Amino acid sequence: MYQTLRTLVLSNARCWDADSERTYQDLFERLDTNKDGKVDVAELRAGLKAMGIFRQGAAQKIVSSGDQNKDGSLDFKEFTKYLKEHEKKLRLTFKSLDRNNDEIQQSLGELGMHISTEDARKILHSMDIDGTMMVDWNEWREHFLLCPAHNLEEIIRYWKHSTVLDIGDSLAIPDEFTEEEKSSGGWWKQLAAGAMAGAVSRTGTAPLDRMKVFMQVHSSKVNKISLAGGFKQMIKEGGLTSLWRGNGINVLKIAPETAIKFMSYEQYKKLLSSEGEKIETHKRFMAGSLAGATAQTAIYPMEVLKTRLTLRKTGQYSGMFDCAKTILKKEGITAFYKGYIPNLLGIIPYAGIDLAVYETLKNTWLSYHPKDSANPGILVLLGCGTISSTCGQLASYPLALVRTRMQAQASLDASDQPSMSSLMKKIVAKDGFFGLYRGILPNFMKVIPAVSISYVVYEYMKTGLGISK
């Protein structure tokens, strides 16, 4: 269907004239399936899907950009005006490139994506119609005419690793936004949509998260806790609702952490890069890690409260404020930063491996599907994101377990509170190397439902807020 539609509608692309009303009329008539003289988001989305353009939010963005009378659809005049203005922007981008392998490599490198000559050739080939290995204006226009992205930075965002997939851990490097999104204020709507998606996702997987923490702290060779046995024990002790203990503060900390991480990320990028220059990959990674450390430092007391509330027995605390007051009174202010060092150290392996695995998976997929380089499809992006996040968790899990043990120590045994290194040695000596991975089964079990829930809610929130990414 994709090839057929492109052949029917775009077959004369090489001899198009920018002012050709006939070309626009043919395209408009094919998209206007109910023949009411207007193309709405649903019709445009179906048309883009048929043409192989799967990017989420593309239809909404095109309609929003061209809809002058704000009726939620485009008539032929609005449709034509949008395409003409979009072509002007595409031409400016086209003129800024040499359209050969070297230029594609250099441009991607400036945006933090370093690819081989072979990969650059495949990306070029995906746009090359006549087989000359040079992309002319008509080929460039055909490839991006119905993509809302018009500058190279937006185009490259097709391949960027998104962190809106919430898996309950807060160690990922923040998302980046275009200058247009920053100036229009669309960034805060995306952060709000991401925060809501994270809240619903964490609530849906809270029982598995509580089981993970329960096993991290209480399970050992001597006291083995199975998944079924752990759930029975928790339900017997506090009822079905006890499976959601600690979820309230786990949800509450999303908003401040997201905001602090984003704002500090922008500041660190400015500090690490020269004025007007694109930030390199390693500096972007450094800025993201520092932003994560800044956010974690600010909200870490909430992490400690979350662990204590998750592990609490029935009637131990009346709520989060009572829990905070009790900890402060009995253990002092330093108790709110127990496990802080292993938590900070965990950011580096998590974010580093997450990004590395994502890039490897993405480049592997692109090497086999160069024709779909700008439209990988949501299942590919979700799959790459899920696998890379899981690998990141696997690498940082021992530090996460030590952090949780240290957060819970004072409530368990005030006389025995070892340092991070001695606690790690003690766990290995007592339970072996795999003792550092206690509770990883429920942690892995929650990844796919968490990713699925967060993605679906994020898409609904974007539609509700009238934004597209």
Side-chain angles (χ1 to χ4, degrees), residues 23 82 122 177 205 213 258 260 279 308 328 337 378 431:
T23 302
Y82 168 81
K122 286 175 179 174
F177 299 104
T205 58
V213 174
T258 301
I260 294 168
I279 185 168
R308 296 293 183 90
L328 186 62
Y337 279 88
I378 190 57
D431 296 327

Side-chain angles (χ1 to χ4, degrees), residues 413-468:
D413 187 0
S415 63
D416 182 23
Q417 296 180 30
S419 64
M420 178 185 76
S421 58
S422 59
L423 180 58
M424 195 170 281
K425 288 176 184 175
K426 184 179 177 182
I427 293 170
V428 172
K430 187 178 177 182
D431 296 327
F433 174 76
F434 291 106
L436 295 171
Y437 286 88
R438 296 283 181 195
I440 200 163
L441 177 59
N443 195 55
F444 280 164
M445 286 175 66
K446 73 173 185 170
V447 170
I448 293 177
V451 166
S452 304
I453 293 169
S454 63
Y455 174 75
V456 170
V457 175
Y458 183 69
E459 289 302 311
Y460 274 108
M461 283 298 297
K462 284 203 302 179
T463 302
L465 292 170
I467 59 171
S468 60

Side-chain angles (χ1 to χ4, degrees), residues 121-243:
R121 188 191 68 76
K122 286 175 179 174
I123 291 172
L124 186 67
H125 180 64
S126 72
M127 291 180 271
D128 180 29
I129 294 173
D130 55 17
T132 61
M133 288 313 293
M134 288 291 289
V135 177
D136 62 25
W137 158 238
N138 288 303
E139 290 171 327
W140 177 267
R141 177 174 56 181
E142 176 181 340
H143 197 77
F144 290 113
L145 182 64
L146 286 176
C147 285
H150 58 77
N151 61 57
L152 187 61
E153 185 167 353
E154 285 190 31
I155 290 166
I156 300 312
R157 280 168 65 87
Y158 280 120
W159 298 294
K160 291 290 250 185
H161 182 16
S162 175
T163 59
V164 299
L165 305 178
D166 190 278
I167 56 172
D169 288 314
S170 310
L171 304 176
I173 286 177
D175 269 333
E176 291 186 90
F177 299 104
T178 62
E179 291 306 317
E180 180 188 347
E181 287 167 335
K182 290 175 190 173
S183 60
S184 67
W187 62 270
W188 74 264
K189 291 183 179 180
Q190 291 193 31
L191 290 181
M196 178 58 72
V200 177
S201 171
R202 292 184 189 193
T203 301
T205 58
L208 286 167
D209 190 62
R210 188 178 184 222
M211 174 56 68
K212 177 194 73 174
V213 174
F214 195 76
M215 291 174 78
Q216 283 178 330
V217 175
H218 296 298
S219 184
S220 65
K221 270 188 176 180
V222 179
N223 180 37
K224 288 185 178 179
I225 300 174
S226 67
L227 208 60
F231 278 125
K232 283 180 183 177
Q233 191 176 333
M234 287 191 288
I235 293 171
K236 185 178 180 182
E237 192 276 329
L240 193 63
T241 56
S242 70
L243 298 179

